[in-house]
Structure formats: structure tokens, C-alpha cells
Amino acid sequence: MAWRVRAMQADDLDAVTFNEQAAYPFPWSRGIFEDCLQFGYPSWVAESENGDIAGHAVMTLAVGEGHILNVCAHPHFQGMGLGRCLLNTLVDHAEGEAAQRMFLEVRASNHAAIQLYRSAGFEEVGVRRGYYPDDDGREDAVVLCRELKTPVAY
């Protein structure tokens, strides 16, 4: 499937929040996404061929590093390359902003996401104990990092 990726806008937040709630047991709130837009965090949505917002992604950039905060594909669109498309968008943007590396946290139980990130060159660099809320208390996060292409200095 072909995805159209574009910058997230305030008008997208109903669909973004809907997708987030459909995909995750502990979703981000609409307010978190509003804050991300207000603070200028690079944020995207991916539209399906019929124009539905199928997924979204949010990151930060600072001091040569990108930090992936959220990558979400509505369950209906999972397994169709949407997560990879959004991840590639984040990496391309970070490289375009001369970031040297990217980090992210992912639930230790999210094996599909971990496999996606590893296939994209991310490597485990640590674990954050009890990072995520879980039905049974807290769940660990696996911390992943990818070195990016270093721009040529002239």
C-alpha cells in the first residue's frame, strides 16, 4: 500500500487520538499530542490511499540526537509497511537535521516493534526498569540506538 506522509496538524488530532487508543492499552492523550505540536516537535501522519489517517509518529531533536517518542499504526493497518514508512520518515528527517544518532524506548513485550527497529539498524543499548505502565504494574523498556550518517564537513 502507498502511504502519504505529511506534517501533523491540529485538525488531525481526533484521528490521531482515535488511532492511539485503538493501538495501545495505555495511549497518549490528546493533550500530549497538542503539547507536541505546540512545542514544535517534528510530527507526522500517514494517510491511506482513501485519505484516512492510518498512523502517526512524533520525535524530538536536540544536540545532534533524535529521540523517537511515538510511532503508531492503527491495528487495521499493521503489517502493511506503515510502521517502516513512519520510521523511515523519522530517520530521514533526523539525518536532514544533521542528527548523529537516534534513540527510542519500546516495551520489552513488543516483539514486532523491536524486530522492526532492529531491521532498521537500531541496536539495544540498555533497559529502563519499570518504564511503562502495565496491567500488572510496570513493564521494562528496551532502549535502542542507531548511528546516523554523519554529514560531510566542508
Side-chain angles (χ1 to χ4, degrees):
M1 180 174 286
W3 307 104
R4 179 179 171 260
V5 179
R6 61 173 176 77
M8 186 185 295
Q9 304 294 319
D11 290 348
D12 299 325
L13 293 183
D14 286 342
V16 166
T17 303
F18 175 81
N19 290 345
E20 184 81 4
Q21 291 171 348
Y24 297 123
F26 298 92
W28 279 16
S29 68
R30 180 187 178 98
I32 292 173
F33 289 106
E34 289 171 345
D35 288 347
C36 290
L37 290 178
Q38 179 181 355
F39 294 123
Y41 290 0
S43 306
W44 290 270
V45 295
E47 296 177 337
S48 66
E49 292 169 345
N50 66 1
D52 291 336
I53 294 176
H56 54 272
V58 180
M59 69 183 297
T60 62
L61 286 166
V63 292
E65 294 181 351
H67 192 138
I68 297 173
L69 302 177
N70 188 310
V71 176
C72 176
H74 185 280
H76 176 74
F77 296 102
Q78 291 177 1
M80 299 180 175
L82 177 57
R84 184 168 305 279
C85 174
L86 289 165
L87 180 59
N88 289 342
T89 299
L90 297 173
V91 169
D92 289 348
H93 182 76
E95 287 180 335
E97 295 294 320
Q100 294 151 359
R101 69 193 49 83
M102 292 186 76
F103 289 93
L104 63 92
E105 292 86 14
V106 60
R107 284 182 182 273
S109 64
N110 192 342
H111 302 293
I114 291 170
Q115 183 169 345
L116 169 67
Y117 296 131
R118 286 190 174 149
S119 74
F122 284 82
E123 297 178 357
E124 184 174 336
V125 295
V127 174
R128 295 189 195 277
R129 302 278 177 222
Y131 186 77
Y132 288 108
D134 185 83
D135 288 334
D136 298 324
R138 307 293 296 182
E139 180 178 356
D140 293 346
V142 177
V143 182
L144 301 172
C145 179
R146 174 178 164 180
E147 297 297 321
L148 301 177
K149 296 175 187 166
T150 305
V152 176
Y154 294 97

